[in-house]
Amino acid sequence: VARHYPGRNELDLRGRALHPPPVRADVPSSTEALRFPLPLADLDGDVVGRRLRLTIPRTTGQLAVWGNRLGNCLGSFAEAVAVGRSWLLGVEVEGRLAYCMELTPNRSIRQFLGAHNRRVPIDDATAVCTHLVSAGVLDPQNRNNWGWLGTYGA
């Protein structure tokens, strides 16, 4: 869950935040290892098609790097991932992180977006989602996944 901190983007003359977000004890440190359930964890490094490779973030610090690379709020997902509310799966295109999928524990896609929260090209999305169904990560009977799989109750 993204939190809004009033004035958090305001900077002083040296580029430091005037109103940094409060430090929270329940947010994991940037070096804390993230854990993902099987079979999701087994997908790390899987190649889909010729140019897509699946990757799992290893630490909360890596989530911040992913967020910077994709220009989105992935860095704020540390708590949700640490407690198991969200599972994240990165997709590299020709060796570079291009997309990230957020999955729920009930094996459905919450979001699957590229840089700056843009849509993933349909061919790439279909290839990844089909691979996840075959690996047992996505539930093809879950209505939330039907649009991603191009099926409606199959």
Side-chain angles (χ1 to χ4, degrees):
V1 174
R3 289 179 169 71
H4 175 72
Y5 298 101
R8 77 176 198 185
N9 293 328
E10 297 174 21
L11 304 177
D12 67 13
L13 294 175
R14 293 187 180 168
R16 295 179 300 211
L18 289 174
H19 308 284
V23 176
R24 295 184 44 203
D26 59 338
V27 175
S29 73
S30 64
T31 58
E32 185 172 325
L34 297 173
R35 291 176 182 78
F36 293 92
L38 297 176
L40 185 66
D42 287 340
L43 295 176
D44 194 30
D46 276 13
V47 175
V48 178
R50 290 185 182 183
R51 55 190 212 55
L52 304 176
R53 182 179 166 274
L54 306 180
T55 184
I56 306 281
R58 302 207 186 293
T59 65
T60 56
Q62 190 173 18
L63 287 179
V65 170
W66 283 20
N68 286 335
R69 195 167 288 157
L70 294 177
N72 62 26
C73 63
L74 276 171
S76 68
F77 280 65
E79 180 184 359
V81 172
V83 299
R85 279 194 317 263
S86 292
W87 304 339
L88 299 177
L89 179 67
V91 180
E92 296 176 350
V93 176
E94 298 174 355
R96 183 170 172 80
L97 183 67
Y99 320 125
C100 187
M101 177 185 286
E102 180 187 8
L103 299 152
T104 65
N106 72 349
R107 301 184 321 149
S108 69
I109 298 170
R110 185 172 289 144
Q111 58 182 335
F112 187 16
L113 298 166
H116 307 287
N117 293 329
R118 292 189 179 111
R119 290 184 179 175
V120 175
I122 191 70
D123 292 342
D124 291 350
T126 301
V128 169
C129 291
T130 302
H131 185 77
L132 296 181
V133 168
S134 68
V137 171
L138 278 185
D139 177 4
Q141 301 304 315
N142 186 313
R143 290 176 174 268
N144 294 330
N145 296 332
W146 291 356
W148 292 103
L149 299 170
T151 59
Y152 300 92

